[in-house]
Amino acid sequence: MSKSYIRHFNANAIFHRIRIEPNVSQRDIVAKTGIDKSVVSSIVNQFSELGLVERNPVATSNKPGRPMEGLTISPESGLIVGVQIEADTIGYVAAALDGIPVCSKVQAFDGKLDEVADVVARGVKEIVSECGRDSETLGVGISLPGLLTDEGVLLHAPVLGWRGVPVVDMFSSALDAPVFAGNDGKAAAMAEYMFGECVDVRDFIYLFSGSGVGGALFLDGDIYRGSTGLAGELGHIKVVPQGRYCSCGASGCLSAYLCEPALAEEIGRLTGNLPSSFKEIIERANANDEVVVGVLDNAGAVLGSAISSLVNIFNPPLVCLGGDMASAEPYLRPAVERALQRLAHPSMSVQTKVIFSQLSTVSPFLGGVALALDGVTGLDSPHVLP
Amino acid sequence: MSKSYIRHFNANAIFHRIRIEPNVSQRDIVAKTGIDKSVVSSIVNQFSELGLVERNPVATSNKPGRPMEGLTISPESGLIVGVQIEADTIGYVAAALDGIPVCSKVQAFDGKLDEVADVVARGVKEIVSECGRDSETLGVGISLPGLLTDEGVLLHAPVLGWRGVPVVDMFSSALDAPVFAGNDGKAAAMAEYMFGECVDVRDFIYLFSGSGVGGALFLDGDIYRGSTGLAGELGHIKVVPQGRYCSCGASGCLSAYLCEPALAEEIGRLTGNLPSSFKEIIERANANDEVVVGVLDNAGAVLGSAISSLVNIFNPPLVCLGGDMASAEPYLRPAVERALQRLAHPSMSVQTKVIFSQLSTVSPFLGGVALALDGVTGLDSPHVLP
DNA sequence: GATATTTTTCTTGTTTTGAGAATAATTCAT
DNA sequence: ATGAATTATTCTCAAAACAAGAAAAATATC
């Protein structure tokens, strides 16, 4: 526990407050974070000198006394680029320091490891120039479908077939800006904390559904990584003893009932008409296809059972469901609520809100932005989110 | 995040190292904690001046150079008293600062709230005088079967029928020593971390079985309390959808299959012979009563299912099972292992060790000692473990 | 006995917090 | 208008804590 750690921590907390509540006063920051006024003044000055934070005069409040200074993140001060590497695509988004996306794009990707650093370097350069700003790139955050060590080594990414890749070093040498890397599920959770539905919630459970089901435990204001970094792989909670086989090799995983391929397969099996995308699944449900609605309802029940377990373990104020789940809310929510009623401890579930977040569909790839922002605003050196 | 917090944190870490590894050198502490040598020297001096730590010459190592000083907790420096309040008993244990119990006793208790402060004050005085040492009582830790707030208020203790009791204030005014209070399950987990099977393990899951099933999440070197303090009530993880009714009002809880009353009832129902204690259950199992063995095996399967979920969520290096479970290890372990094999993610379960801890049966009431020790050795003011 | 080695302490410097005084900028009352 | 009151921020200074290196202490080896 070092001294600079406190500074890092405080700086992050202050930046976070300014971002989620533009035009706050220093006084408010003091009240809400408990950090001393001198420290807030000093750190705000530091941010202000770096050009990261602006002081704006605020409309008169009709109160006596010196008016407050409204503090905001300067949108022109620099760009953060979020990169999301998936099985066959790479997504990019450039955002200002306040996290508001400026532009984004997706590019096809063949998964070749030896070219990816150059591909991403070019992609980042392009997205930055497309923004039409000559502001500096302050950080690049790379969200990866696999597990990372503290040192920035990607241990294993099944969908990419990569293993033991020192991603931070690799991308750092190809890019000019500081590189931050992290697991996709955890990065997405961080994005929810910074920009989404979980802003400023100290404890929440995040579940994400797509080609697989991932997740993260956000505890005490930070992602819980566990001793091995594997913690939070919530897609593999067992929900049905001796249930369906999952791509991970085990059986009865939540993922085997909820991820897009599993739902598609089930619908295909029951109707003889295999959906080609999650969008199609939702379209068929919207068109009142009873089989599809039934499959989604069943998935909701299984999901609700998993959430009930999580509620009983963590008693979190918030459970956030992202990815494909957001667009399926009308078909999932009733079953989830039923399961919670039936399975979760009443005195716990009353304190828990379950929400479906649109963030990852409305503005995708923000996970990487969150990763980088977390590092950049600490007034400190890079790190990794395993 | 304040400055004195760092000192508290470092002091605790250093004391912890000395306790778990008597005769360490400062150099070793530096190597193992990462704290700077100056800081270690300064804090060791502080402990030494307070008489909490002794410096012993260590047998020559046949190496050149100044020989190390072996640091140990001075056993005579003071007493810590652990108090455990249960439905009809109060248990006491007096221990030296190294956590080694000196003497203990149990007294009957009628659950009367208005007398308990005086009763405990008398009990503490007696146990201290029974020790036959005139050393100072440095702290009293009180372990309670209920939920506490950060401010030391017992919100609700169902088995005692207490609600909204400011326990820390109440016991503080009756006792001369600093009072620390906490939830029994979390205190027991802390004891495992300090004195038991989980010494120095930064992340573990603790499950405790007795008249109910409690537990704690020990994450990143500390108990996770969650936003409400309810986190870690692992006895109410749902293991069987629409399963047995639990004393909490819900159905399918782990507790409903594993706690002593549930096991006794089940055995009584099947044999017509209701066991009067957990000890009797084990005796009948030892006498090869097939029904009893079968009931325990079934409980083990349910327990294993719950542990599998926990493994998949946390991927902890260690799952520690305490209380009654320890003496039932021969009957529970096979079923637990089977369930883990079948239900837990293989790449996770290989990293997880499941152990049965005798700590709470061999030297009971250490939870309170752990609570108090945690506060006393921080060179800082009291606090609570909700 | 000199030298090398290992462990601990001392010295000095830097960073950061934290409390209170000072300053700045406004409204309200007269 | 002008002074008083009020509120927000900055400045000043002291204390706490860490951090790096020099120094000291205590031993083994040659």
Side-chain angles (χ1 to χ4, degrees):
Chain A
M1 181 69 63
S2 73
K3 230 169 11 181
S4 58
Y5 177 78
I6 293 192
R7 190 70 166 186
H8 180 95
F9 187 93
N10 285 340
N12 247 332
I14 290 172
F15 198 88
H16 181 67
R17 278 239 76 83
I18 298 175
R19 187 161 32 66
I20 65 178
E21 193 184 330
N23 276 316
V24 278
S25 64
Q26 293 190 25
R27 197 165 188 270
D28 253 29
I29 295 176
V30 168
K32 284 180 182 152
T33 64
I35 302 171
D36 190 89
K37 58 193 181 320
S38 305
V39 178
V40 172
S41 177
S42 146
I43 288 176
V44 166
N45 270 331
Q46 222 172 324
F47 278 137
S48 166
E49 276 162 30
L50 288 169
L52 305 183
V53 161
E54 277 171 11
R55 301 159 192 262
N56 312 107
V58 150
T60 51
S61 56
N62 278 354
K63 278 188 302 182
R66 172 173 173 173
M68 56 174 256
E69 287 174 346
L71 299 173
T72 52
I73 311 297
S74 19
E76 304 292 331
S77 59
L79 285 172
I80 298 281
V81 180
V83 180
Q84 187 152 329
I85 299 180
E86 293 179 35
D88 43 16
T89 55
I90 302 182
Y92 300 87
V93 61
L97 264 189
D98 50 11
I100 295 173
V102 181
C103 50
S104 67
K105 68 166 179 179
V106 185
Q107 113 191 147
F109 177 51
D110 56 9
K112 279 187 192 156
L113 176 57
D114 49 351
E115 293 170 10
V116 68
D118 291 335
V119 170
V120 167
R122 223 166 351 191
V124 169
K125 211 167 268 174
E126 282 168 24
I127 195 89
V128 168
S129 75
E130 275 171 37
C131 286
R133 297 191 188 177
D134 61 346
S135 34
E136 194 187 357
T137 305
L138 295 172
V140 177
I142 300 175
S143 169
L144 291 153
L147 276 133
L148 289 93
T149 67
D150 288 340
E151 290 80 30
V153 176
L154 180 68
L155 288 177
H156 184 38
V159 297
L160 294 170
W162 299 355
R163 199 180 272 275
V165 181
V167 281
V168 169
D169 289 347
M170 186 176 81
F171 288 111
S172 286
S173 46
L175 292 156
D176 297 336
V179 171
F180 304 83
N183 167 266
D184 53 358
K186 289 169 188 163
M190 191 65 95
E192 292 289 350
Y193 177 70
M194 290 188 154
F195 318 120
E197 301 281 348
C198 308
V199 159
D200 214 28
V201 179
R202 266 180 70 83
D203 298 84
F204 66 91
I205 308 296
Y206 181 71
L207 271 166
F208 175 91
S209 172
S211 61
V213 173
L217 309 171
F218 200 91
L219 308 177
D220 279 340
D222 204 357
I223 301 276
Y224 173 70
R225 296 167 185 78
S227 59
T228 56
L230 269 161
E233 283 290 315
L234 306 180
H236 303 286
I237 293 181
K238 301 298 139 175
V239 281
V240 180
Q242 289 161 311
R244 282 191 213 155
Y245 280 94
C246 172
S247 59
C248 73
S251 91
C253 294
L254 173 60
S255 183
Y257 293 82
L258 190 61
C259 71
E260 188 265 323
L263 291 171
E265 191 198 319
E266 175 82 354
I267 292 168
R269 197 176 56 78
L270 293 172
T271 64
N273 180 0
L274 188 78
S276 62
S277 68
F278 194 79
K279 207 172 148 223
E280 188 187 326
I281 295 177
I282 296 301
E283 280 164 3
R284 283 164 67 172
N286 286 343
N288 268 325
D289 182 327
E290 280 182 21
V291 174
V292 173
V293 171
V295 167
L296 287 173
D297 193 73
N298 184 51
V302 172
L303 172 61
S305 153
I307 295 176
S308 301
S309 288
L310 292 168
V311 166
N312 283 337
I313 294 168
F314 294 99
N315 190 30
L318 196 61
V319 174
C320 181
L321 309 174
D324 286 344
M325 283 187 272
S327 54
E329 174 170 1
Y331 306 103
L332 294 175
R333 183 177 276 286
V336 168
E337 300 280 3
R338 274 200 314 276
L340 274 169
Q341 282 291 327
R342 199 164 54 83
L343 297 174
H345 195 300
S347 71
M348 297 205 174
S349 58
V350 293
Q351 299 182 39
T352 305
K353 243 175 72 183
V354 176
I355 57 171
F356 290 75
S357 168
Q358 301 282 347
L359 185 69
S360 58
T361 44
V362 170
S363 46
F365 321 136
L366 278 181
V369 173
L371 286 180
L373 205 49
D374 189 47
V376 168
T377 60
L379 298 173
D380 206 15
S381 53
H383 73 260
V384 184
L385 197 65
Chain B
M1 182 69 66
S2 74
K3 223 165 21 178
S4 59
Y5 177 77
I6 293 190
R7 191 69 168 185
H8 181 92
F9 187 93
N10 286 339
N12 247 331
I14 290 172
F15 199 87
H16 181 67
R17 277 239 75 84
I18 298 175
R19 187 161 32 67
I20 65 177
E21 193 183 330
N23 277 316
V24 278
S25 64
Q26 294 190 27
R27 198 165 188 270
D28 252 30
I29 296 176
V30 167
K32 284 181 181 150
T33 63
I35 302 171
D36 191 89
K37 59 190 179 319
S38 308
V39 178
V40 172
S41 177
S42 145
I43 289 176
V44 166
N45 270 332
Q46 222 172 324
F47 278 136
S48 167
E49 275 162 29
L50 288 168
L52 305 183
V53 162
E54 277 170 10
R55 302 160 192 260
N56 311 107
V58 151
T60 52
S61 55
N62 278 356
K63 278 189 303 184
R66 173 173 172 172
M68 55 174 258
E69 287 175 346
L71 299 172
T72 52
I73 312 298
S74 20
E76 303 293 330
S77 58
L79 286 171
I80 299 281
V81 181
V83 180
Q84 185 151 330
I85 299 180
E86 293 179 38
D88 43 15
T89 55
I90 301 181
Y92 300 87
V93 61
L97 264 189
D98 50 11
I100 295 172
V102 181
C103 51
S104 66
K105 68 165 179 181
V106 185
Q107 108 191 150
F109 178 51
D110 57 8
K112 279 186 190 155
L113 177 56
D114 50 351
E115 293 170 10
V116 68
D118 290 334
V119 169
V120 167
R122 224 169 349 198
V124 168
K125 212 168 270 175
E126 281 167 24
I127 195 89
V128 167
S129 75
E130 275 172 35
C131 285
R133 297 191 188 176
D134 61 345
S135 34
E136 194 187 357
T137 303
L138 295 172
V140 177
I142 299 175
S143 169
L144 291 154
L147 275 132
L148 288 94
T149 67
D150 288 339
E151 291 80 31
V153 176
L154 180 70
L155 288 177
H156 184 39
V159 297
L160 294 170
W162 298 356
R163 199 180 273 274
V165 181
V167 280
V168 168
D169 289 347
M170 186 176 80
F171 288 112
S172 287
S173 46
L175 291 157
D176 298 335
V179 171
F180 305 83
N183 168 266
D184 53 358
K186 288 169 188 164
M190 191 65 94
E192 291 289 350
Y193 177 69
M194 290 187 154
F195 319 119
E197 301 281 346
C198 309
V199 158
D200 214 28
V201 179
R202 267 181 69 84
D203 297 84
F204 67 91
I205 307 297
Y206 181 72
L207 270 165
F208 176 92
S209 173
S211 61
V213 173
L217 309 172
F218 200 92
L219 309 177
D220 279 340
D222 205 357
I223 300 275
Y224 174 70
R225 297 168 184 79
S227 58
T228 55
L230 270 161
E233 284 290 314
L234 305 181
H236 302 286
I237 293 180
K238 301 297 140 175
V239 281
V240 180
Q242 290 162 309
R244 281 190 214 156
Y245 280 94
C246 172
S247 59
C248 73
S251 90
C253 295
L254 173 60
S255 183
Y257 293 82
L258 191 59
C259 71
E260 187 266 322
L263 290 172
E265 191 197 320
E266 175 81 355
I267 292 168
R269 196 176 57 77
L270 292 172
T271 64
N273 180 359
L274 189 76
S276 62
S277 68
F278 194 79
K279 204 170 150 228
E280 188 186 326
I281 295 178
I282 296 301
E283 280 163 2
R284 283 165 65 172
N286 286 343
N288 268 325
D289 182 327
E290 279 182 22
V291 173
V292 174
V293 171
V295 167
L296 287 173
D297 192 72
N298 185 51
V302 172
L303 171 62
S305 154
I307 294 176
S308 301
S309 288
L310 292 168
V311 165
N312 284 337
I313 294 168
F314 295 98
N315 189 32
L318 196 62
V319 174
C320 182
L321 309 174
D324 286 344
M325 283 187 273
S327 53
E329 175 170 0
Y331 307 103
L332 294 175
R333 183 177 277 285
V336 168
E337 301 280 3
R338 274 201 312 276
L340 274 169
Q341 282 290 328
R342 199 163 55 83
L343 297 174
H345 195 301
S347 71
M348 298 205 174
S349 58
V350 293
Q351 299 181 39
T352 305
K353 242 174 73 182
V354 176
I355 57 172
F356 290 75
S357 169
Q358 302 282 347
L359 186 69
S360 58
T361 44
V362 169
S363 46
F365 321 136
L366 277 181
V369 173
L371 287 179
L373 205 49
D374 189 47
V376 168
T377 60
L379 297 173
D380 206 16
S381 54
H383 72 260
V384 184
L385 197 64

Short mmCIF file of all heavy atoms in Angstrom, two decimals, chain A residues 62-102:
data_model
loop_
_atom_site.label_atom_id
_atom_site.label_comp_id
_atom_site.label_asym_id
_atom_site.label_seq_id
_atom_site.Cartn_x
_atom_site.Cartn_y
_atom_site.Cartn_z
N ASN A 62 -28.60 32.77 -7.61
CA ASN A 62 -29.39 33.63 -6.73
C ASN A 62 -29.08 33.43 -5.26
O ASN A 62 -29.87 33.80 -4.41
CB ASN A 62 -30.90 33.41 -6.95
CG ASN A 62 -31.39 34.20 -8.15
OD1 ASN A 62 -30.64 34.98 -8.72
ND2 ASN A 62 -32.64 33.99 -8.51
N LYS A 63 -27.96 32.82 -5.02
CA LYS A 63 -27.54 32.68 -3.62
C LYS A 63 -26.40 33.65 -3.39
O LYS A 63 -25.64 33.96 -4.31
CB LYS A 63 -27.07 31.25 -3.34
CG LYS A 63 -28.19 30.28 -3.06
CD LYS A 63 -27.66 28.93 -2.59
CE LYS A 63 -26.72 28.31 -3.60
NZ LYS A 63 -26.24 26.98 -3.18
N PRO A 64 -26.27 34.13 -2.17
CA PRO A 64 -25.11 34.96 -1.87
C PRO A 64 -23.85 34.12 -1.93
O PRO A 64 -23.92 32.90 -1.94
CB PRO A 64 -25.38 35.45 -0.46
CG PRO A 64 -26.24 34.39 0.15
CD PRO A 64 -27.09 33.89 -0.98
N GLY A 65 -22.74 34.78 -1.96
CA GLY A 65 -21.47 34.06 -1.94
C GLY A 65 -20.87 33.86 -3.30
O GLY A 65 -21.52 34.02 -4.32
N ARG A 66 -19.62 33.52 -3.26
CA ARG A 66 -18.89 33.26 -4.51
C ARG A 66 -19.56 32.11 -5.25
O ARG A 66 -19.85 31.08 -4.67
CB ARG A 66 -17.45 32.89 -4.17
CG ARG A 66 -16.64 32.42 -5.35
CD ARG A 66 -15.19 32.24 -4.92
NE ARG A 66 -14.40 31.63 -5.98
CZ ARG A 66 -13.08 31.50 -5.92
NH1 ARG A 66 -12.43 31.90 -4.83
NH2 ARG A 66 -12.42 30.95 -6.90
N PRO A 67 -19.83 32.30 -6.53
CA PRO A 67 -20.49 31.21 -7.27
C PRO A 67 -19.52 30.07 -7.51
O PRO A 67 -18.31 30.27 -7.56
CB PRO A 67 -20.89 31.88 -8.57
CG PRO A 67 -19.91 32.98 -8.74
CD PRO A 67 -19.50 33.43 -7.38
N MET A 68 -20.06 28.91 -7.62
CA MET A 68 -19.22 27.75 -7.87
C MET A 68 -18.66 27.76 -9.29
O MET A 68 -19.20 28.41 -10.18
CB MET A 68 -20.03 26.47 -7.69
CG MET A 68 -21.28 26.42 -8.56
SD MET A 68 -22.13 24.85 -8.47
CE MET A 68 -21.67 24.11 -10.03
N GLU A 69 -17.57 27.02 -9.47
CA GLU A 69 -17.06 26.76 -10.81
C GLU A 69 -17.62 25.42 -11.26
O GLU A 69 -17.49 24.42 -10.56
CB GLU A 69 -15.55 26.60 -10.79
CG GLU A 69 -14.79 27.88 -10.58
CD GLU A 69 -13.30 27.58 -10.42
OE1 GLU A 69 -12.94 26.40 -10.20
OE2 GLU A 69 -12.51 28.52 -10.51
N GLY A 70 -18.23 25.40 -12.44
CA GLY A 70 -18.66 24.11 -12.97
C GLY A 70 -17.48 23.40 -13.61
O GLY A 70 -16.79 23.97 -14.45
N LEU A 71 -17.23 22.18 -13.19
CA LEU A 71 -16.12 21.43 -13.76
C LEU A 71 -16.64 20.43 -14.79
O LEU A 71 -17.60 19.71 -14.53
CB LEU A 71 -15.37 20.67 -12.66
CG LEU A 71 -14.75 21.54 -11.57
CD1 LEU A 71 -14.21 20.66 -10.45
CD2 LEU A 71 -13.66 22.41 -12.14
N THR A 72 -16.04 20.42 -15.95
CA THR A 72 -16.41 19.43 -16.96
C THR A 72 -15.15 18.85 -17.59
O THR A 72 -14.09 19.47 -17.57
CB THR A 72 -17.24 20.07 -18.10
OG1 THR A 72 -16.53 21.21 -18.59
CG2 THR A 72 -18.61 20.49 -17.63
N ILE A 73 -15.30 17.66 -18.13
CA ILE A 73 -14.23 17.06 -18.90
C ILE A 73 -14.15 17.81 -20.23
O ILE A 73 -15.16 17.98 -20.90
CB ILE A 73 -14.54 15.58 -19.21
CG1 ILE A 73 -14.99 14.84 -17.94
CG2 ILE A 73 -13.38 14.91 -19.88
CD1 ILE A 73 -13.97 14.77 -16.88
N SER A 74 -12.96 18.29 -20.59
CA SER A 74 -12.87 18.99 -21.87
C SER A 74 -12.94 17.98 -23.01
O SER A 74 -12.12 17.07 -23.09
CB SER A 74 -11.60 19.80 -21.98
OG SER A 74 -10.64 19.38 -21.09
N PRO A 75 -13.93 18.13 -23.86
CA PRO A 75 -14.13 17.14 -24.91
C PRO A 75 -13.02 17.19 -25.96
O PRO A 75 -12.80 16.23 -26.69
CB PRO A 75 -15.48 17.52 -25.51
CG PRO A 75 -15.71 18.93 -25.11
CD PRO A 75 -14.93 19.19 -23.88
N GLU A 76 -12.31 18.32 -26.03
CA GLU A 76 -11.29 18.46 -27.07
C GLU A 76 -9.91 18.05 -26.59
O GLU A 76 -8.93 18.17 -27.31
CB GLU A 76 -11.24 19.93 -27.53
CG GLU A 76 -12.56 20.49 -28.02
CD GLU A 76 -13.00 19.84 -29.31
OE1 GLU A 76 -12.14 19.41 -30.10
OE2 GLU A 76 -14.23 19.74 -29.53
N SER A 77 -9.83 17.62 -25.35
CA SER A 77 -8.50 17.46 -24.77
C SER A 77 -7.75 16.25 -25.26
O SER A 77 -6.55 16.14 -25.09
CB SER A 77 -8.62 17.39 -23.26
OG SER A 77 -9.44 16.30 -22.92
N GLY A 78 -8.44 15.33 -25.87
CA GLY A 78 -7.73 14.14 -26.34
C GLY A 78 -8.72 13.05 -26.67
O GLY A 78 -9.90 13.14 -26.37
N LEU A 79 -8.22 12.04 -27.31
CA LEU A 79 -9.09 10.94 -27.70
C LEU A 79 -8.67 9.65 -27.00
O LEU A 79 -7.49 9.42 -26.74
CB LEU A 79 -9.02 10.73 -29.22
CG LEU A 79 -9.76 11.76 -30.08
CD1 LEU A 79 -9.44 11.53 -31.54
CD2 LEU A 79 -11.27 11.66 -29.85
N ILE A 80 -9.67 8.87 -26.70
CA ILE A 80 -9.45 7.53 -26.19
C ILE A 80 -10.01 6.58 -27.25
O ILE A 80 -11.11 6.79 -27.74
CB ILE A 80 -10.23 7.32 -24.88
CG1 ILE A 80 -9.77 8.29 -23.81
CG2 ILE A 80 -10.14 5.88 -24.42
CD1 ILE A 80 -8.50 7.90 -23.13
N VAL A 81 -9.23 5.59 -27.61
CA VAL A 81 -9.72 4.64 -28.60
C VAL A 81 -10.00 3.29 -27.94
O VAL A 81 -9.15 2.76 -27.23
CB VAL A 81 -8.72 4.47 -29.76
CG1 VAL A 81 -9.26 3.48 -30.78
CG2 VAL A 81 -8.43 5.80 -30.41
N GLY A 82 -11.19 2.80 -28.15
CA GLY A 82 -11.55 1.47 -27.67
C GLY A 82 -11.49 0.48 -28.82
O GLY A 82 -12.02 0.76 -29.90
N VAL A 83 -10.84 -0.64 -28.60
CA VAL A 83 -10.72 -1.66 -29.64
C VAL A 83 -11.29 -2.96 -29.09
O VAL A 83 -10.98 -3.33 -27.95
CB VAL A 83 -9.24 -1.88 -30.03
CG1 VAL A 83 -9.12 -2.95 -31.10
CG2 VAL A 83 -8.61 -0.58 -30.48
N GLN A 84 -12.15 -3.58 -29.86
CA GLN A 84 -12.71 -4.85 -29.41
C GLN A 84 -12.40 -5.94 -30.41
O GLN A 84 -12.89 -5.91 -31.55
CB GLN A 84 -14.22 -4.71 -29.19
CG GLN A 84 -14.82 -5.95 -28.56
CD GLN A 84 -16.05 -5.60 -27.74
OE1 GLN A 84 -16.16 -4.53 -27.17
NE2 GLN A 84 -16.99 -6.52 -27.71
N ILE A 85 -11.61 -6.89 -30.00
CA ILE A 85 -11.20 -7.97 -30.91
C ILE A 85 -12.11 -9.17 -30.69
O ILE A 85 -12.24 -9.66 -29.56
CB ILE A 85 -9.73 -8.34 -30.68
CG1 ILE A 85 -8.86 -7.11 -30.97
CG2 ILE A 85 -9.33 -9.51 -31.57
CD1 ILE A 85 -7.38 -7.34 -30.79
N GLU A 86 -12.77 -9.60 -31.75
CA GLU A 86 -13.63 -10.78 -31.64
C GLU A 86 -13.19 -11.84 -32.64
O GLU A 86 -12.15 -11.69 -33.30
CB GLU A 86 -15.09 -10.37 -31.84
CG GLU A 86 -15.57 -9.49 -30.70
CD GLU A 86 -17.01 -9.04 -30.86
OE1 GLU A 86 -17.83 -9.81 -31.37
OE2 GLU A 86 -17.30 -7.88 -30.47
N ALA A 87 -13.99 -12.90 -32.74
CA ALA A 87 -13.57 -14.03 -33.57
C ALA A 87 -13.30 -13.61 -35.01
O ALA A 87 -12.26 -13.94 -35.58
CB ALA A 87 -14.64 -15.11 -33.54
N ASP A 88 -14.19 -12.84 -35.61
CA ASP A 88 -13.99 -12.50 -37.02
C ASP A 88 -14.12 -11.00 -37.32
O ASP A 88 -14.21 -10.61 -38.47
CB ASP A 88 -14.93 -13.31 -37.92
CG ASP A 88 -16.32 -13.38 -37.32
OD1 ASP A 88 -16.62 -12.57 -36.42
OD2 ASP A 88 -17.12 -14.25 -37.75
N THR A 89 -14.18 -10.20 -36.27
CA THR A 89 -14.22 -8.75 -36.49
C THR A 89 -13.34 -8.04 -35.48
O THR A 89 -13.03 -8.57 -34.41
CB THR A 89 -15.65 -8.18 -36.32
OG1 THR A 89 -16.13 -8.56 -35.03
CG2 THR A 89 -16.60 -8.69 -37.40
N ILE A 90 -12.95 -6.82 -35.85
CA ILE A 90 -12.35 -5.91 -34.88
C ILE A 90 -13.17 -4.63 -34.91
O ILE A 90 -13.41 -4.06 -35.98
CB ILE A 90 -10.88 -5.59 -35.22
CG1 ILE A 90 -10.05 -6.88 -35.27
CG2 ILE A 90 -10.29 -4.66 -34.17
CD1 ILE A 90 -8.58 -6.66 -35.56
N GLY A 91 -13.64 -4.21 -33.74
CA GLY A 91 -14.43 -2.99 -33.65
C GLY A 91 -13.60 -1.87 -33.06
O GLY A 91 -12.77 -2.11 -32.18
N TYR A 92 -13.84 -0.67 -33.56
CA TYR A 92 -13.11 0.50 -33.05
C TYR A 92 -14.11 1.58 -32.66
O TYR A 92 -15.12 1.76 -33.34
CB TYR A 92 -12.20 1.10 -34.12
CG TYR A 92 -11.15 0.16 -34.64
CD1 TYR A 92 -11.43 -0.70 -35.69
CD2 TYR A 92 -9.87 0.15 -34.10
CE1 TYR A 92 -10.46 -1.56 -36.19
CE2 TYR A 92 -8.89 -0.72 -34.59
CZ TYR A 92 -9.19 -1.56 -35.63
OH TYR A 92 -8.24 -2.41 -36.10
N VAL A 93 -13.81 2.28 -31.60
CA VAL A 93 -14.57 3.49 -31.31
C VAL A 93 -13.60 4.52 -30.73
O VAL A 93 -12.73 4.19 -29.92
CB VAL A 93 -15.74 3.22 -30.34
CG1 VAL A 93 -15.24 2.69 -29.02
CG2 VAL A 93 -16.56 4.48 -30.10
N ALA A 94 -13.73 5.74 -31.23
CA ALA A 94 -12.93 6.84 -30.67
C ALA A 94 -13.86 7.69 -29.84
O ALA A 94 -14.96 8.02 -30.27
CB ALA A 94 -12.29 7.65 -31.78
N ALA A 95 -13.44 8.02 -28.65
CA ALA A 95 -14.29 8.78 -27.75
C ALA A 95 -13.49 9.91 -27.13
O ALA A 95 -12.26 9.81 -27.01
CB ALA A 95 -14.85 7.88 -26.66
N ALA A 96 -14.21 10.95 -26.75
CA ALA A 96 -13.56 12.01 -25.99
C ALA A 96 -13.35 11.52 -24.57
O ALA A 96 -13.81 10.44 -24.19
CB ALA A 96 -14.42 13.26 -26.02
N LEU A 97 -12.67 12.33 -23.78
CA LEU A 97 -12.34 11.91 -22.42
C LEU A 97 -13.58 11.75 -21.54
O LEU A 97 -13.53 11.12 -20.49
CB LEU A 97 -11.41 12.92 -21.77
CG LEU A 97 -9.93 12.58 -21.83
CD1 LEU A 97 -9.16 13.55 -20.97
CD2 LEU A 97 -9.68 11.16 -21.37
N ASP A 98 -14.68 12.35 -21.96
CA ASP A 98 -15.90 12.18 -21.17
C ASP A 98 -16.60 10.88 -21.54
O ASP A 98 -17.65 10.56 -20.99
CB ASP A 98 -16.84 13.37 -21.37
CG ASP A 98 -17.05 13.68 -22.83
OD1 ASP A 98 -16.64 12.87 -23.68
OD2 ASP A 98 -17.61 14.75 -23.14
N GLY A 99 -16.02 10.14 -22.45
CA GLY A 99 -16.58 8.84 -22.82
C GLY A 99 -17.60 8.91 -23.93
O GLY A 99 -18.14 7.89 -24.35
N ILE A 100 -17.87 10.11 -24.44
CA ILE A 100 -18.86 10.24 -25.51
C ILE A 100 -18.21 9.88 -26.84
O ILE A 100 -17.21 10.48 -27.23
CB ILE A 100 -19.44 11.66 -25.54
CG1 ILE A 100 -20.22 11.89 -24.24
CG2 ILE A 100 -20.33 11.86 -26.76
CD1 ILE A 100 -20.71 13.29 -24.05
N PRO A 101 -18.77 8.87 -27.51
CA PRO A 101 -18.16 8.38 -28.74
C PRO A 101 -18.19 9.43 -29.84
O PRO A 101 -19.18 10.16 -29.98
CB PRO A 101 -19.05 7.19 -29.14
CG PRO A 101 -19.79 6.84 -27.91
CD PRO A 101 -19.96 8.11 -27.15
N VAL A 102 -17.12 9.53 -30.58
CA VAL A 102 -17.05 10.47 -31.69
C VAL A 102 -17.31 9.72 -33.00
O VAL A 102 -18.11 10.13 -33.82
CB VAL A 102 -15.69 11.18 -31.72
CG1 VAL A 102 -15.63 12.17 -32.87
CG2 VAL A 102 -15.43 11.87 -30.40
#
